[in-house]
Amino acid sequence: LMTAPVITIRAETPLNEALRLMLRHQIKRLPVVDAEGHLLGLLGRNSLLNGLLAASTPAATPVNDLTLQSAPE
């Protein structure tokens, strides 16, 4: 189910902010968009948590440093 309005993040959004949004809005995936609002991919909860749990990944790491699920062409 999608919510309206759709909650999105930019590629430079820190991982800890993406997690805050997921928890606040009780969602499992966040669309990642560019400056023009074009879909770049999806950030899933598992990818986010794995990124945060990696010993070498600070919580302020931008989302675009993780592998995103590709947006459909």
Side-chain angles (χ1 to χ4, degrees):
L1 244 62
M2 292 288 273
T3 59
V6 176
I7 300 163
T8 63
I9 56 173
R10 301 273 302 272
E12 58 274 5
T13 301
L15 296 177
N16 55 349
E17 178 60 24
L19 179 58
R20 261 194 289 282
L21 284 169
M22 286 181 176
L23 293 172
R24 183 180 315 136
H25 298 283
Q26 299 179 354
I27 53 180
K28 295 179 183 178
R29 288 173 203 85
L30 285 168
V32 180
V33 297
D34 63 15
E36 290 80 38
H38 298 114
L39 184 64
L40 300 174
L42 294 172
L43 177 64
R45 189 174 9 187
N46 286 340
S47 294
L48 175 65
L49 291 175
N50 285 333
L52 286 170
L53 291 175
S56 62
T57 307
T61 299
V63 166
N64 62 345
D65 286 1
L66 294 181
T67 302
L68 301 174
Q69 296 174 12
S70 297
E73 301 268 336

